[in-house]
Amino acid sequence: MKIAEKIISVVKSEKKILISTHINPDGDALGSALSLAAALNSIGKKTFVYCRDRVPETYRFLPGYRNVISKIQEALKGDPLLILLDCNSPERAALEKFQFRYSIVIDHHETEKDFGDIRWVDPKAAATGMMVFSLIKDIGVKITKDIAINLYTAIAADTGTFRYSNTSPEVLKAGAELVKAGAEPDFIASQLYETWDKKRFDLLISALNTLVIKEGIAIMHISREMFRRTGTKYEDTEHFSNFPRMVGSVKVSAVFKETGNGVWKASLRSKGDINVAKIAEQYEGGGHRNAAGFRIKTDLATARRMLIQAVKKLGNK
Amino acid sequence: MKIAEKIISVVKSEKKILISTHINPDGDALGSALSLAAALNSIGKKTFVYCRDRVPETYRFLPGYRNVISKIQEALKGDPLLILLDCNSPERAALEKFQFRYSIVIDHHETEKDFGDIRWVDPKAAATGMMVFSLIKDIGVKITKDIAINLYTAIAADTGTFRYSNTSPEVLKAGAELVKAGAEPDFIASQLYETWDKKRFDLLISALNTLVIKEGIAIMHISREMFRRTGTKYEDTEHFSNFPRMVGSVKVSAVFKETGNGVWKASLRSKGDINVAKIAEQYEGGGHRNAAGFRIKTDLATARRMLIQAVKKLGNK
């Protein structure tokens, strides 16, 4: 039996379904969860969408986002089926304290965990939204405009609106179907990329003013004083390290963010084959080949120097 | 007879074909021209690709770009058929001084011109590349990897890699086919957006440091001194006015660029229904609803004030 068929057969025999996704939810997490909830509602299921953290401003255009709950007690009554989306361990969803009668995992992250009675983990999928899209079609539910907006956002978020290497023909074909069903690419792109707070943009400009590029390595920093002056928080620095990548000669881009007690958090981005996860691992951090991070307790000048040496060492291997 | 069939029948009876596109060529112009040339070569035609201006750095990854000529004399020998791409008047291609035995126009810009023995002008097409893609398929030529890269770039450039409102299901389906044929979305996006000169990025940071946002209007400026200090030119400011659009509250974004003799060139960008072409027209400039420009001879403070008033007036209508 195909895994999707098995999932459908289990889901059909249930009345109450709890859909949960990871903390610090992103577009793929929320879009996947909300589209699956809408599809299951349309075949008569009672659903709850749970995420420990509230829906970030950026995603408050997704149809149904107001139904995302951050308190779980009500949803647990009646012993629901659990579907874990875009992550594959209870810890990632802040669910480790609870017991579930039966659980299904749908995720595209690589993993070593073994949670879930049914595990559908496909690291080749560009987004969990691609898996949910195929599942919803297999269930036989009509892709409404609301479902299309959620799925398109999920896929757009995890492929950088079709700019990353995971943009396969299947991803673009899915995009075409979802636009046909009512998703508006310009509206969604504008929600994803053009809804910054003014103060966040001020922080970006401040950070860019600290930019130094040497031997293909771009380094910026954000001190606590800069956060204070602009009235911003650590979360506001998301995507900052992508900007210096616009410069052709930049191979690695780093942002050092001061967190207090002499600790700096580094976000690294790289182009092509340069594996910044290897650098992050040296400092007990982690991530992927082209996007990784670590923490370091030292002064900024030393942190910078260490990073430059680590990148050079990587290049010499 | 379908217009594409008519074009194909004319093309098949010719030996030598001159493909030309507009001055200041962009991704759609070059990608369309190079893919059509490759397709016609494969059915035994001798082709020339002419553009008065040289291929910008950004597009020097397109297969065949070295074959683009900026001197036309050689190509004119033997009285070739002319195919004008991504523009529809000889003037836009700097061809007004020459006579052609027979000419075909393939373009998606709105127009009032009437040049061309066969005119295929379709403003509904998201890119000229979409029209050329369908034409190449009608000719019956295999979409090689080189053709796919050129066509994908053409379409990606004119849809902002699938972010603009012209991103239809057909556009995404074409993208899917071209990726299947060998175009790599991440490579192409990186060529389009991540090949800036360091000095151009320095100029952007300088410009951002002048940013003021008031009542939804973002204004930056670039003085001659800033160009001088960073070693940049007027062309380096392309896309600058898009950056402040990232701020949610910004409805109109303007960059004033000092050109000398007290003249400032303004580039305007707007979101949604705000028609900045109406503002540009008041100062004898022009453009489209969401992207327009004009020149003004006055001091910067006055120019700023006039713009803010014009935007407000527009809003009150």
Side-chain angles (χ1 to χ4, degrees):
Chain A
M1 201 189 235
K2 240 186 77 184
I3 198 154
E5 283 172 35
K6 211 169 142 192
I7 292 174
I8 292 168
S9 119
V10 169
V11 161
K12 284 198 170 162
S13 69
E14 298 275 340
K15 278 187 187 150
K16 206 173 157 185
I17 300 170
L18 170 62
I19 297 169
S20 182
T21 189
H22 56 78
I23 56 177
N24 297 319
D26 55 17
D28 192 20
L30 293 165
S32 295
L34 291 168
S35 57
L36 184 58
L40 295 178
N41 291 344
S42 80
I43 57 165
K45 307 297 167 189
K46 170 84 180 158
T47 63
F48 292 90
V49 178
Y50 167 73
C51 181
R52 190 200 65 186
D53 299 326
R54 38 185 241 144
V55 175
E57 287 276 358
T58 306
Y59 301 113
R60 292 192 195 163
F61 71 95
L62 292 174
Y65 85 87
R66 285 174 195 280
N67 302 328
V68 179
I69 52 171
S70 55
K71 294 220 167 81
I72 201 170
Q73 298 310 331
E74 181 67 23
L76 289 178
K77 286 179 194 163
D79 204 13
L81 167 77
L82 172 70
I83 302 182
L84 203 54
L85 283 182
D86 202 39
C87 62
N88 56 66
S89 74
E91 291 77 13
R92 275 289 288 152
L95 288 175
E96 66 273 24
K97 288 185 198 151
F98 307 102
Q99 289 294 321
F100 295 93
R101 177 174 46 83
Y102 199 90
S103 56
I104 297 173
V105 168
I106 303 175
D107 186 24
H108 72 130
H109 292 93
E110 286 186 53
T111 175
E112 290 171 25
K113 304 295 192 318
D114 63 354
F115 175 80
D117 297 295
I118 303 181
R119 295 176 55 74
W120 184 23
V121 179
D122 180 4
K124 287 206 203 82
T128 297
M130 285 293 290
M131 302 169 76
V132 171
F133 181 39
S134 116
L135 183 67
I136 291 178
K137 287 204 287 188
D138 284 348
I139 297 175
V141 167
K142 185 181 180 298
I143 306 286
T144 61
K145 182 171 176 168
D146 283 359
I147 290 177
I149 294 169
N150 276 305
L151 286 175
Y152 192 93
T153 303
I155 296 166
D158 264 27
T159 63
T161 55
F162 313 108
R163 288 186 185 179
Y164 302 159
S165 61
N166 58 3
T167 305
S168 62
E170 290 65 39
V171 163
L172 287 157
K173 251 185 249 167
E177 277 188 66
L178 295 168
V179 173
K180 209 163 186 180
E184 290 169 310
D186 57 329
F187 169 72
I188 291 171
S190 144
Q191 294 297 322
L192 290 179
Y193 306 117
E194 299 181 346
T195 56
W196 286 35
D197 268 349
K198 164 84 166 60
K199 57 188 181 182
R200 188 177 168 199
F201 200 71
D202 289 340
L203 183 69
L204 173 66
I205 298 175
S206 300
L208 288 172
N209 281 322
T210 70
L211 178 70
V212 177
I213 302 180
K214 258 189 202 163
E215 302 177 58
I217 308 165
I219 302 181
M220 304 192 280
H221 73 265
I222 303 169
S223 64
R224 296 184 77 187
E225 161 60 19
M226 286 156 74
F227 281 120
R228 201 197 48 72
R229 205 175 54 230
T230 50
T232 49
K233 285 185 234 149
Y234 183 80
E235 305 87 86
D236 291 311
T237 64
E238 209 193 326
H239 302 310
F240 278 23
S241 33
N242 285 325
F243 285 89
R245 285 182 49 137
M246 287 161 53
V247 178
S249 62
V250 168
K251 301 304 169 208
V252 173
S253 166
V255 184
F256 285 102
K257 291 158 271 189
E258 192 177 15
T259 63
N261 303 320
V263 174
W264 293 84
K265 271 196 194 181
S267 296
L268 310 178
R269 294 290 180 280
S270 68
K271 290 181 185 169
D273 285 338
I274 301 173
N275 189 345
V276 284
K278 295 259 176 238
I279 296 173
E281 280 162 17
Q282 291 169 34
Y283 300 100
E284 286 165 32
H288 304 281
R289 190 180 65 177
N290 298 126
F294 65 90
R295 290 158 161 274
I296 189 165
K297 188 164 181 164
T298 182
D299 63 291
L300 185 60
T302 310
R304 270 205 206 108
R305 210 163 41 234
M306 285 166 78
L307 176 71
I308 292 172
Q309 275 163 5
V311 175
K312 281 190 188 168
K313 217 172 129 192
L314 203 65
N316 293 337
K317 269 183 195 165
Chain B
M1 203 189 236
K2 240 186 78 184
I3 198 154
E5 284 172 34
K6 212 171 144 190
I7 291 173
I8 292 167
S9 117
V10 169
V11 161
K12 285 199 168 161
S13 68
E14 297 276 341
K15 277 187 189 148
K16 206 173 155 184
I17 299 170
L18 169 62
I19 297 168
S20 181
T21 189
H22 57 77
I23 55 178
N24 298 320
D26 55 17
D28 192 20
L30 293 165
S32 295
L34 291 168
S35 57
L36 185 59
L40 295 179
N41 292 344
S42 79
I43 57 165
K45 306 299 167 190
K46 170 85 181 153
T47 62
F48 292 90
V49 178
Y50 168 73
C51 181
R52 189 200 66 185
D53 299 325
R54 37 184 243 144
V55 175
E57 287 277 358
T58 306
Y59 301 113
R60 291 188 196 167
F61 71 96
L62 293 174
Y65 85 87
R66 285 173 194 280
N67 302 327
V68 180
I69 53 173
S70 56
K71 294 219 165 84
I72 200 169
Q73 299 310 329
E74 180 67 23
L76 289 177
K77 286 177 194 164
D79 204 10
L81 167 77
L82 172 70
I83 303 182
L84 203 54
L85 283 183
D86 202 40
C87 61
N88 56 66
S89 74
E91 291 79 11
R92 274 289 288 152
L95 288 175
E96 65 273 25
K97 288 185 196 150
F98 308 100
Q99 289 295 320
F100 295 93
R101 176 176 45 85
Y102 199 91
S103 56
I104 297 172
V105 168
I106 303 176
D107 185 25
H108 73 130
H109 291 93
E110 284 185 56
T111 175
E112 290 172 24
K113 305 294 190 320
D114 62 354
F115 175 80
D117 298 295
I118 302 181
R119 295 177 54 75
W120 184 24
V121 179
D122 180 5
K124 286 206 204 82
T128 297
M130 285 293 290
M131 302 168 76
V132 172
F133 181 40
S134 116
L135 183 67
I136 291 178
K137 288 203 287 186
D138 284 348
I139 297 175
V141 167
K142 184 182 180 296
I143 306 288
T144 61
K145 182 170 176 168
D146 283 0
I147 291 178
I149 293 170
N150 276 304
L151 286 175
Y152 192 93
T153 303
I155 296 166
D158 264 26
T159 62
T161 55
F162 313 107
R163 288 187 185 178
Y164 303 159
S165 61
N166 58 3
T167 305
S168 61
E170 291 66 40
V171 164
L172 287 157
K173 253 187 248 168
E177 278 188 64
L178 294 168
V179 173
K180 208 164 187 177
E184 290 169 310
D186 57 330
F187 169 73
I188 293 171
S190 145
Q191 294 298 322
L192 291 178
Y193 307 117
E194 298 181 348
T195 56
W196 285 36
D197 270 347
K198 165 81 165 62
K199 58 188 181 182
R200 187 177 171 201
F201 199 72
D202 289 340
L203 183 69
L204 173 66
I205 298 174
S206 300
L208 288 173
N209 280 321
T210 71
L211 178 70
V212 177
I213 302 178
K214 257 188 203 164
E215 301 177 60
I217 308 165
I219 302 181
M220 304 193 280
H221 73 266
I222 302 170
S223 65
R224 296 184 77 186
E225 160 61 17
M226 287 157 72
F227 280 120
R228 199 196 52 70
R229 204 175 54 228
T230 50
T232 49
K233 287 185 230 147
Y234 184 79
E235 305 87 87
D236 291 310
T237 63
E238 209 192 327
H239 301 310
F240 277 22
S241 33
N242 285 325
F243 286 88
R245 285 182 48 137
M246 288 161 52
V247 179
S249 62
V250 168
K251 302 302 170 208
V252 173
S253 165
V255 183
F256 285 103
K257 291 158 272 190
E258 193 178 14
T259 63
N261 302 320
V263 174
W264 293 84
K265 270 197 193 179
S267 295
L268 309 179
R269 295 289 179 281
S270 68
K271 289 181 186 169
D273 286 339
I274 301 172
N275 190 345
V276 284
K278 295 262 176 232
I279 295 172
E281 280 162 18
Q282 291 170 33
Y283 299 99
E284 285 164 33
H288 305 280
R289 191 181 63 177
N290 298 127
F294 65 90
R295 290 159 161 275
I296 189 165
K297 188 168 181 159
T298 183
D299 62 291
L300 185 61
T302 310
R304 269 205 206 108
R305 209 163 42 235
M306 284 165 78
L307 177 70
I308 292 171
Q309 274 164 5
V311 175
K312 280 190 188 167
K313 217 170 130 191
L314 203 66
N316 292 337
K317 268 180 193 162

